[in-house]
Amino acid sequence: MNDRYDAGDAGYGAGPYEVVGYDEYGQPVYRQVPAQQAPQAQQAAYDPYAQQHGYGYDSYAAGQQQAPSYGSGQQQPGYDPYGSQAPYDPYATGTHQDGTGYDPYGQAASSGQQPRVAEQTAYIPQQTGPAEDLRAPQDPEPAPGAPHQGTGQDYGTGQDYGTEPEHGSRPEHRTEQFAFVEEPDGDSEDVIDWLKFTENRTERREEARRRARSRIIALVVVLALVAAGGVGYLWFAGKLPGLSSSDGKTGDATPVAAQKRDVLVVHLHNTAKGGTSTALLVDNTTTKQGTTVLLPNSLALTGDDGSTTTLAKSVDDDGSSGTRDQLDTVLGTSIQGTWRLDTPYLQNLVELVGNIEIDTDTDVPDPDTKKKGASPLVHKGHDQTLSGKMAVAYATYRAPGESATAQLERFGQVMQGVLRKMSSDPSSATTTVQTLAQILDPPLTDKDLGAFLARLADLAKSGDYRTALLPVQADGTLSAQTSGSVVKDILGGTAKSPAAGSAVRVSVQNATGVKDDTEKARVVLLNGGFTFLEGGSAAGTEATSKVLYADGADKANATEVAKTLGLPAGSVTKGSVSSGADVSVVLGRDYQPSSS
């Protein structure tokens, strides 16, 4: 072992010692001072970091008094470990005179960051020469528990605690002298920037996802509200499928009979060829639904005298007011007015609204052209544009062999096409009606008709408009089974046809060889107030026509039937009649149907 450690064998405190440096563990290195240089026992302990004059050198105190040199010829203050001075405690286990613990690393004793030792063992190095030569070469590692030999050398960084600085100057400390100082990483800034960028980008993505989810949720909520509003509207208007009930109530829970309707009857008079076509224009203000109800001319009505007549005959004989009352009786409805629309006025009306577009079901020849093979005035096809003249020709056209219903349905198409082109503004619609210069039947006025047509025009443009045909039986009466949906649901009325037997029932058998003659005879008989019964076609043809009656009471009726059909009075004879008929007719080749 080094001699400096053996110096302690003489006993601790055998002589005065002075601090000549610090080893790598921060412990002081002492040397024995000659007896004549030993300080008094009362002298204060040496504090190498104290900033008091005469007690040591403070290497960090700028401008302090020069530290005394430690040459062999000088007397230095002695160190007395057991004197009145407080013993030196390099690990702050004790206190100085000022009560502050010693911290060899410059840290406060109260920080608790430095280890404490239970006992400080001092060693006395042998004096080998001047103080400047006390730094000996580094000795081997001391045994565990033995005090480290004070070489004054740093244990890894090369720093030297034994070298004293120049007097009056602050020692220079370099970064490499401290092992705990980390070398700056040149990439640290890039790493921090990359982490910040990644974090910001992740936050932006999360924020974008949150915004997208918010938008989707908002869109779903809006769509749900719109759908709920649409279903609610359909439910309120009674247009939701499956909500109609058999007790006459619709989806809005308003009984059919209690719904408010405005009804107007319109009669189209063909001034060129004769004949009429009748329809009801219905505005249901409760369900916001418009309808054109087509009324066949064979509809049986009760005349003012209680006799049975037809719609066609009533229009010709009784006029507007009489027919309106009869329709109210049969249909159980309330008609507010009658609009007589002659074909010239219909042509002008179509021209005023700017032509109409409808789907035509047949070619219609030009009535003013008699040349065979001429191009048709109206072509069959989808979405055909019709002028006023074309609209009138189509509305009144009935092809050979067609039923009267086909012509009536064409009239309904034209009326709906006119409503789609009519203005929805009451003032503008009234101006259009006034421009027609048409004389209306009271109590209907231009303003009332204009406002009524404007409301129907609005429904027709929105798709809330339809056309329905009133089903009529062969004898002209109404059946609850066939006409109930129209009379009850659309008109809100109850069918009240004349009692059976009140009209003369005529059975017609066709033996002319021309199929269309049956339909023509039917129209003529219905217009004459008779009930038509289909008798079919004969196996062969007959040269002359026959009008037969079985009961003498029906002879007058048979004579009236012959007159209506344009047959001679000699054709009337007593004979066998068809079941359920009062008079039977066999049409022969001498039958000349009327042009209407």
Side-chain angles (χ1 to χ4, degrees):
M1 180 175 292
N2 192 289
D3 293 340
R4 288 178 294 176
Y5 295 99
D6 296 336
D9 296 338
Y12 185 80
Y17 297 91
E18 66 178 357
V19 178
V20 296
Y22 295 90
D23 62 7
E24 61 269 24
Y25 295 98
Q27 297 181 358
V29 178
Y30 305 98
R31 74 166 180 170
Q32 188 174 8
V33 181
Q36 63 273 16
Q37 296 179 359
Q40 296 296 325
Q42 294 83 5
Q43 191 172 5
Y46 172 74
D47 184 359
Y49 291 95
Q51 297 181 7
Q52 298 180 4
H53 177 71
Y55 283 91
Y57 169 70
D58 182 7
S59 60
Y60 297 98
Q64 296 293 332
Q65 185 177 355
Q66 263 189 344
S69 62
Y70 293 173
S72 59
Q74 286 184 305
Q75 290 189 0
Q76 301 293 340
Y79 171 75
D80 184 6
Y82 293 100
S84 60
Q85 305 292 331
Y88 172 75
D89 188 358
Y91 289 97
T93 58
T95 57
H96 290 281
Q97 289 179 350
D98 58 358
T100 305
Y102 171 76
D103 186 358
Y105 292 97
Q107 299 178 349
S110 61
S111 65
Q113 296 185 8
Q114 298 298 330
R116 297 176 180 268
V117 295
E119 182 179 357
Q120 175 69 35
T121 302
Y123 66 93
I124 304 172
Q126 290 183 351
Q127 183 175 2
T128 58
E132 295 80 359
D133 301 327
L134 287 178
R135 291 178 296 170
Q138 184 173 356
D139 293 333
E141 184 70 15
H148 196 280
Q149 54 189 6
T151 61
Q153 299 294 330
D154 182 39
Y155 50 89
T157 61
Q159 57 186 352
D160 185 359
Y161 289 97
T163 303
E164 300 216 359
E166 294 291 333
H167 292 292
S169 64
R170 181 180 297 272
E172 180 180 359
H173 297 281
R174 296 182 301 278
T175 303
E176 59 271 13
Q177 291 177 330
F178 300 92
F180 58 84
V181 177
E182 295 181 359
E183 294 294 334
D185 189 355
D187 296 334
S188 60
E189 294 292 338
D190 296 338
V191 172
I192 293 174
D193 292 342
W194 170 252
L195 292 176
K196 290 182 179 180
F197 170 75
T198 304
E199 181 179 0
N200 293 339
R201 184 173 63 177
T202 303
E203 292 177 354
R204 289 195 298 270
R205 288 179 177 175
E206 291 297 330
E207 181 65 23
R209 292 192 187 99
R210 286 193 293 269
R211 289 197 298 267
R213 285 194 295 268
S214 300
R215 294 192 188 101
I216 293 175
I217 292 173
L219 179 60
V220 170
V221 172
V222 171
L223 292 177
L225 292 176
V226 171
V231 173
Y233 169 76
L234 293 176
W235 175 83
F236 176 79
K239 301 176 183 179
L240 197 63
L243 292 184
S244 296
S245 58
S246 58
D247 60 352
K249 295 183 180 181
T250 58
D252 59 359
T254 303
V256 173
Q259 295 172 6
K260 187 178 183 304
R261 299 172 180 84
D262 294 330
V263 183
L264 187 69
V265 59
V266 54
H267 300 294
L268 177 64
H269 288 258
N270 188 346
T271 58
K273 296 182 178 181
T276 60
S277 301
T278 303
L280 297 178
L281 303 180
V282 183
D283 176 21
N284 190 323
T285 58
T286 302
T287 62
K288 307 298 182 183
Q289 177 69 46
T291 309
T292 296
V293 179
L294 303 176
L295 304 179
N297 280 332
S298 61
L299 176 63
L301 302 177
T302 301
D304 295 336
D305 57 357
S307 61
T308 301
T309 186
T310 61
L311 175 60
K313 189 173 181 63
S314 176
V315 172
D316 290 337
D317 296 344
D318 300 330
S320 59
S321 59
T323 302
R324 183 173 68 247
D325 294 340
Q326 293 171 13
L327 289 172
D328 283 341
T329 300
V330 171
L331 302 175
T333 187
S334 177
I335 301 175
Q336 285 78 35
T338 300
W339 181 21
R340 173 170 175 159
L341 183 63
D342 294 346
T343 48
Y345 290 109
L346 175 60
Q347 179 175 339
N348 293 338
L349 179 60
V350 173
E351 298 290 349
L352 287 173
V353 299
N355 299 336
I356 61 174
E357 290 79 27
I358 61 174
D359 297 335
T360 57
D361 60 358
T362 186
D363 291 338
V364 178
D366 189 347
D368 297 334
T369 301
K370 304 299 182 181
K371 183 180 179 180
K372 292 183 178 181
S375 177
L377 178 64
V378 178
H379 292 273
K380 177 182 178 180
H382 173 71
D383 199 17
Q384 296 291 311
T385 300
L386 305 183
S387 63
K389 180 180 178 180
M390 296 167 66
V392 170
Y394 185 79
T396 59
Y397 179 71
R398 180 183 171 191
E402 279 188 331
S403 65
T405 302
Q407 177 268 320
L408 186 62
E409 290 175 342
R410 296 187 184 108
F411 169 56
Q413 284 183 275
V414 171
M415 289 303 301
Q416 188 165 346
V418 170
L419 291 174
R420 282 198 298 263
K421 296 298 293 289
M422 179 76 68
S423 174
S424 300
D425 178 60
S427 300
S428 300
T430 300
T431 301
T432 300
V433 172
Q434 291 173 344
T435 306
L436 290 175
Q438 181 183 12
I439 299 176
L440 302 175
D441 295 336
L444 189 63
T445 65
D446 293 341
K447 185 176 181 180
D448 293 338
L449 180 59
F452 179 77
L453 294 178
R455 294 198 302 270
L456 293 181
D458 187 55
L459 296 174
K461 291 180 175 119
S462 62
D464 297 322
Y465 200 94
R466 57 178 173 166
T467 300
L469 175 66
L470 177 67
V472 176
Q473 299 184 98
D475 59 356
T477 60
L478 300 176
S479 170
Q481 290 76 19
T482 58
S483 61
S485 60
V486 175
V487 176
K488 183 180 180 180
D489 297 339
I490 298 178
L491 300 176
T494 303
K496 299 177 181 178
S497 293
S502 58
V504 178
R505 297 184 298 273
V506 180
S507 173
V508 177
Q509 184 182 43
N510 187 358
T512 63
V514 180
K515 184 178 181 180
D516 190 40
D517 287 346
T518 302
E519 182 62 26
K520 292 179 179 180
R522 174 181 175 274
V523 173
V524 172
L525 290 173
L526 290 175
N527 289 338
F530 298 97
T531 299
F532 176 82
L533 300 177
E534 178 68 47
S537 299
T541 61
E542 298 287 340
T544 60
S545 301
K546 298 177 183 179
V547 180
L548 305 173
Y549 63 92
D551 190 348
D554 292 327
K555 182 178 180 180
N557 292 331
T559 301
E560 186 65 25
V561 168
K563 182 180 179 180
T564 302
L565 292 174
L567 299 175
S571 61
V572 178
T573 183
K574 188 176 182 178
S576 176
V577 299
S578 301
S579 175
D582 300 320
V583 177
S584 292
V585 176
V586 178
L587 297 177
R589 291 191 299 270
D590 61 342
Y591 172 64
Q592 298 295 326
S594 63
S595 59
S596 61

